[in-house]
Each structure stands twice: as structure tokens, then as C-alpha cells.
Amino acid sequence: MLNIVFVASEAAPLAKTGGLADVAGSLPQALRRLGHKLTVIMPYYRRHLAKAGIKAKPTGDAVEMWADGHLRHCPLHEARVHGLRFLLIEQDDLYDRDGLYGPAGGAYDDNLLRYVLFNRVALEAMAKLGAPVDIIHCHDWQAGMLPVLLRTQYQHYAPIAKARTVYTIHNLAYQGVFPAEWLSRLGLPSHHHHPAGYEFYGQINCMKAGIMAADAVTTVSPTYAREILTPEYGCHLDGFLIQHISKLSGIVNGLDTESWDPATDEALAARFSAVRTAGKKRCKQALQERCGLDVSADTPLLTLISRLADQKGIDLLIPNIEAWMQRGYQLVILGSGDPSIEQHLHSIAARHPRQMHFNAGFDEAYSHQIYAGGDIFLMPSRFEPCGLGQLIAMRYGNVPVVRATGGLSDTVIDYHADKKCATGVHFTAATPEAFDAALEETISLYRNPTTWSRIRLNAIRRDSSWQASAQRYADLYKQLLAK
Ligand code: ADP
Ligand code: GLC
């Protein structure tokens, strides 16, 4: 049994902006099922926990920490969700805010202070937990400094000194880059602030720090692990990643198949499964009613649930919407982010109230209803490290139309490549025309009931559980400890 600590800036169901939360909430559960001891350390986002209805209680411990000229007293809290222990760091002026990382579409100015403090207090808290820690698994830029701090400033803490670190890149596009003036303000180890370390065009780059100092670096799909070694996907770190290629690998994400289960999901109008499909029809009708669309079993219902950011290829969708409305399809979108994209979608939806519905916001329960009600799930991402939307969509009986990139390539079996086992349809060129052509093909499959039910059943039956991937992480941890 290994003692494993996850350090993540969000985890479902406590606080979530995207797929990182899904992973940080569910992979630890899968590792526990393999017999390991798991703790997830996170900032105490007080109002997000309250909103999610999750109670935390003080552990009675606290960490004192200097940061940016102030001594901060950081009480520790604890929450348990289905037996998994979350250790939460309280610092209300930093973490109890409306957004996790910033106001809609933006970032807080003090994010480096917020997350370096988080990393330092997490290390001190682990040292206080007493039991020696085997693996510290750090996620995304918000935990990127931790492996460097551990190697340089925390070696005198016996319980963590020998821990191996794994750094998972969920999205290379967000690197956590900040002005160098923070080096002294936060007491960062400046002897690593050089091009082979975490210096990046004169600034501090947290993701570079994690890549440099961690014992292993992973990304969330094998294809993305290869793509980021190229200038097209490398976000200016492709050369640096190639230098560290010997410790890089890709492990595809799984899903929490208990909370994402259409056979038991309480948020749905009716429940369904691969063998009992009638409930899916009821869910489609309920979604059409909720959105004020014409209630029609035969009309193709397209859905999209996403952060509205460049990554997600919404610019490949928008030029097609009018034509799709002319062809009589329905479209339901749930997403928040870039205000100009939101405005654009609102204005198109206003012209087609009985065919299109756009909800700008983040709404967990509603997302379940959309996944359950839709026929075709759209994911035209320009890049996609893994993607959980398509996994959930397949499990809820949608056929996804995806751009062939990253984890979308690895998890959706393309109809062109394998007609028998297909779970969806791929397109390659990042153009609205290529997306439209793939959608039209999908619609013709939809019009053929035998083909459609085969593809849909393949999708529902896909094993998106964590089982295989959790074992891969466990094997990686053991390899590192054997070195
Ligand atoms: P990313 O992490 O890049 O945003 P993923 O596909 O990995 O993309 O994960 C997105 C997760 O966030 C999924 O669980 C999806 O259902 C959820 N999600 C995205 N936007 C919304 C929203 N507006 N409301 C509710 N859930 C959302
Ligand atoms: C990121 C990626 C997404 C991935 C998620 C969880 O936010 O954009 O593709 O599924 O992290 O790993």
C-alpha cells in the first residue's frame, strides 16, 4: 500500500471549473480501490463547498507561513466524500472568492501568491500528517512549483524528503507565467530561474518548474503526449519537453462511472441503460420542453457543453449554426467563458427560439440532463489533452462528432476507420467546412435506425472507467519508488 497525496487546485464535487476537477475527484477513488491510501490537498474555497453542500470541519492543525511580506496563519480543514479525505487550506482573503482562478474569462492578479502559498502549506501539512508520504501527485500549473520547492527548501522534513513526485499536465496552454519580481516576494529558489529551469522569457513559469523538477511527467492521453513535442501544440515548451522526454508519458483519463451513470442518475427525467433505452427518449423530450424547443422525437438534437475558450473550437461551430437551423436540427449549448462568444451565441439563439437554446453559466445538474437528452455531442476542439465531455456523452447515449486531436482521437472510435466498432465520427481539418461535412455524415447515420442504434450502443458500452488507467498510474508510482 502506498501513501499517495494529490495536490490539485480543484476537485469534484467540492469545486469545479473543468475536467481537472473530475480527474482529481475520481482518480484517487480508483487508486483507493487498488488498495492505496489517498489524500487530496486543495485550497478551502469556502463558498464553492457551501454551494456544493459539502461540509468541512477544522482538523485543529494550522500552518504558519511567510508570503509576500506577511506571516499568514493557515488553519487546515477536512472533508470526506465517499470515504476520500480532502485536506483543505483556509485563507479566506485568497481562496474564498466567486471564481476559482479569476472573474469570468479573466485571472486574479495575485494568482502566483495564491498557489505558491498553497504549494508551501501543502508540503508543511504533509510533513505534519506524520506518516511518510510515498508519492506526491501534482496537477497543472497551480501545483507546478511544488516539486522544485520540495527538492530545494523542504528536504529537512523527514516524512516528505523521500517522496517521489509525479506532475500531470492537463492543459499545456495554461502555464502560470508571472513577472520575475515575485521571485523575491515569494522566496522562490532563484538558482533554478534560468532557461534550463523555470525561467521563461525573463518570467516565472510554473509549468516549466513542474516539468523540470518532477520525477515523472504525464499528460492525460497518449496522443497529446506526442502532440506537445511539436511546435503546433507545444505552446513554446516543445523543445523543453523534448529535453525531458525520458520521463514523459500519456495515460488516458477515466470517468467517475458511479456519479456519471444514466441508470441511476437522480438528475434525469428518466433512467436508461444499454439494455433499457426507453428512458433516453423521455430525457430528450424533457430537454426539449425545458429549453422551449419543439418536442419531436425524430429531430436530431445536437448538444455542446464546454468552457467557451479558443481551445474548444467554438469558432468552427458558429459559422455553421444558421445552415443547421435551416436544415431543421436542434441545438442546445451550455457553456461559459469568453464574453464575446457568449454574446454571439445569445444573438443566434434569439433568432431560433424553438430550435436553439443557449445557457451561459455553469450548471452541474443541467449538464447531466443535456448529456441524457441529446443525440449528437459536438466537440470540435482545436486541441484536447483528453476531454471528459465526449466520455460522458458516449456513456449517456450520444454519438460524438469530434476533431481528431489529443484524447478525442484516443477515446472516440471513428466511423471512417471502423464501421463495426465506431462510437463516433472524426474530422481532421480545423475548418467549419470539415466540421459541417462530418456533421452531415453523422446525420445520415442518424437517419438509418439500424446503423444508429449500433453506434449508440457501442458508445454507451465503452468502458470509460478508471480501472485500466489507475493501474497504469499505480505502476508508474511503483517504478519511481524502485529507482
Ligand atoms: P476542460 O477540462 O478542458 O474544460 P473536459 O472535457 O475535460 O474539458 O471537462 C469538462 C468538464 O466540465 C466536464 O465534466 C463537463 O461536463 C463540465 N462542464 C463544462 N462546462 C460546463 C458548464 N457550463 N456547466 C456544467 N458543466 C460543465
Ligand atoms: C484539461 C483539458 C481536458 C482534460 C482535463 C482533465 O482541462 O483541457 O482535455 O480532459 O484537463 O484532464
Side-chain angles (χ1 to χ4, degrees):
M1 183 196 77
L2 302 179
N3 186 14
I4 303 163
V5 178
F6 270 47
V7 179
S9 57
E10 57 180 272
L14 286 71
K16 167 166 167 176
T17 68
L20 168 60
D22 291 295
V23 172
S26 58
L27 173 57
Q29 293 286 19
L31 289 163
R32 284 179 72 216
R33 284 194 285 274
L34 293 178
H36 302 294
K37 181 177 174 223
L38 267 295
T39 307
V40 180
I41 307 190
M42 231 175 77
Y44 186 13
Y45 302 112
R46 196 183 286 276
R47 70 189 71 173
H48 290 259
L49 263 80
K51 207 172 144 206
I54 289 167
K55 290 205 170 50
K57 58 175 198 307
T59 64
D61 277 323
V63 171
E64 307 287 326
M65 182 67 65
W66 280 95
D68 201 19
H70 297 280
L71 182 64
R72 286 178 171 270
H73 174 75
C74 309
L76 303 177
H77 297 252
E78 186 182 54
R80 277 194 191 262
V81 181
H82 303 307
L84 175 63
R85 179 170 188 238
F86 289 86
L87 197 62
L88 307 166
I89 296 166
E90 177 193 321
Q91 209 57 201
D92 283 345
D93 66 316
L94 297 181
Y95 306 133
D96 185 24
R97 298 182 183 175
D98 285 341
L100 296 191
Y101 313 121
Y108 296 125
D109 290 339
D110 57 354
N111 271 347
L112 190 64
L113 164 66
R114 297 172 75 223
Y115 289 103
V116 167
L117 181 78
F118 166 54
N119 290 191
R120 286 189 184 280
V121 178
L123 285 166
E124 296 253 356
M126 282 179 236
K128 272 182 186 254
L129 292 178
V133 176
D134 297 304
I135 296 289
I136 307 176
H137 192 152
C138 303
H139 298 267
D140 265 354
W141 76 260
Q142 293 88 345
M145 272 299 162
L146 189 145
V148 182
L149 293 169
L150 174 64
R151 295 280 163 266
T152 53
Q153 298 175 352
Y154 289 81
Q155 281 300 301
H156 53 289
Y157 287 103
I160 54 175
K162 292 209 177 73
R164 302 290 196 269
T165 51
V166 175
Y167 183 61
T168 295
I169 300 170
H170 293 264
N171 194 334
L172 193 66
Y174 302 94
Q175 297 177 6
V177 177
F178 299 91
E181 66 179 61
W182 284 103
L183 280 173
S184 54
R185 288 171 68 176
L186 296 176
L188 294 173
S190 54
H191 59 288
H192 285 299
H193 190 251
H194 54 74
Y198 61 81
E199 187 259 2
F200 186 70
Y201 299 101
Q203 297 192 292
I204 297 166
N205 183 322
C206 297
M207 191 159 266
K208 249 190 122 190
I211 296 167
M212 169 197 72
D215 296 308
V217 178
T218 65
T219 65
V220 287
S221 71
T223 296
Y224 191 62
R226 290 189 297 274
E227 286 174 340
I228 57 176
L229 304 176
T230 65
E232 188 186 351
Y233 291 97
C235 303
H236 304 288
L237 289 187
D238 37 298
F240 188 70
L241 282 158
I242 288 171
Q243 286 167 26
H244 292 277
I245 195 164
S246 61
K247 60 179 182 183
L248 176 68
S249 62
I251 301 178
V252 76
N253 282 338
L255 262 189
D256 171 356
T257 46
E258 270 168 40
S259 57
W260 292 109
D261 184 357
T264 55
D265 194 330
E266 294 291 331
L268 310 189
R271 265 132 308 269
F272 59 92
S273 66
V275 286
R276 288 189 306 128
T277 52
K280 173 92 187 158
K281 292 201 184 80
R282 177 74 198 92
C283 290
K284 179 170 178 178
Q285 186 188 337
L287 181 61
Q288 288 170 325
E289 283 165 0
R290 172 170 180 169
C291 296
L293 309 182
D294 290 327
V295 174
S296 150
D298 298 333
T299 304
L301 177 46
L302 323 180
T303 62
L304 181 142
I305 300 173
S306 181
R307 286 186 293 114
L308 301 178
D310 288 345
Q311 170 189 353
K312 301 296 180 178
I314 312 298
D315 57 322
L316 308 182
L317 168 79
I318 288 177
N320 283 315
I321 298 179
E322 282 297 341
W324 294 351
M325 297 292 107
Q326 300 304 324
R327 293 177 209 153
Y329 313 152
Q330 296 181 339
L331 176 62
V332 171
I333 299 181
L334 169 64
S336 59
D338 186 332
S340 70
I341 302 181
E342 288 186 8
Q343 215 175 1
H344 216 120
L345 291 172
H346 274 306
S347 70
I348 311 177
R351 292 200 288 275
H352 306 281
R354 306 201 56 85
Q355 275 179 280
M356 174 172 170
H357 189 264
F358 169 52
N359 188 312
F362 196 95
D363 188 332
E364 185 70 29
Y366 182 33
S367 76
H368 287 237
Q369 293 157 11
I370 299 175
Y371 285 119
D375 296 308
I376 297 172
F377 187 73
L378 308 176
M379 210 147 161
S381 308
R382 289 185 169 273
F383 67 93
E384 196 59 73
C386 180
L388 294 172
Q390 82 283 12
L391 300 184
I392 304 169
M394 287 189 278
R395 194 163 160 77
Y396 280 61
N398 300 258
V399 173
V401 177
V402 303
R403 205 173 147 252
T405 182
L408 297 174
S409 295
D410 293 345
T411 58
V412 176
I413 302 176
D414 181 21
Y415 184 75
H416 303 102
D418 187 341
K419 297 199 165 38
K420 192 162 154 265
C421 301
T423 61
V425 176
H426 288 190
F427 67 99
T428 304
T431 63
E433 293 75 21
F435 187 19
D436 182 42
L439 194 264
E440 279 314 284
E441 261 185 275
T442 312
I443 296 286
S444 61
L445 301 172
Y446 176 83
R447 304 273 187 226
N448 179 333
T450 322
T451 312
W452 190 252
S453 70
R454 185 180 71 240
I455 304 178
R456 214 170 57 177
L457 277 183
N458 289 344
I460 298 187
R461 290 196 172 125
R462 176 182 196 272
D463 179 7
S464 292
S465 75
W466 269 111
Q467 215 177 357
S469 293
Q471 188 58 55
R472 288 207 178 94
Y473 279 111
D475 292 344
L476 174 67
Y477 300 154
K478 284 179 197 152
Q479 273 169 29
L480 295 177
L481 288 162
K483 275 186 191 165

